Amino acid sequence: MGKYMRSVSVWERDAVKRTFTDVESAARFLLEGWPDVERTEIHGAARQAALDAVTGAGFPERFRAAFVAAAKEAGILA
């Protein structure tokens, strides 16, 4: 694990909740495991915030806020 953030839980699949407490695992899920939904501007902003946070160009809490917004929009925020 690397950069910590306040926890965020999402529904990975029906009845399977996943909780993220670090930037790297949440970013990996956002970039590789996200549900097959339309890629919107909010999702794109979250992807950019993820890349920024992982590379040190952004802040974990900024990424967390963008991740939460994208999860809400996708209907997977637990």
Side-chain angles (χ1 to χ4, degrees):
M1 289 203 212
K3 300 172 187 165
Y4 292 99
M5 63 181 196
R6 289 181 294 131
S7 65
V8 177
S9 296
V10 298
W11 294 107
E12 188 171 13
R13 297 187 297 277
D14 289 342
V16 177
K17 184 165 66 169
R18 187 164 174 192
T19 300
F20 298 100
T21 58
D22 67 285
V23 170
E24 288 80 3
S25 62
R28 183 172 290 113
F29 178 74
L30 178 69
L31 298 170
E32 299 172 359
W34 205 250
D36 189 24
V37 295
E38 181 182 348
R39 301 301 189 224
T40 65
E41 193 172 312
I42 291 172
H43 183 262
R47 290 173 64 95
Q48 185 60 55
L51 294 171
D52 289 347
V54 168
T55 63
F59 298 99
E61 286 304 311
R62 181 172 174 261
F63 164 63
R64 183 189 181 280
F67 184 85
V68 167
K72 278 183 186 177
E73 180 183 59
I76 63 168
L77 187 64

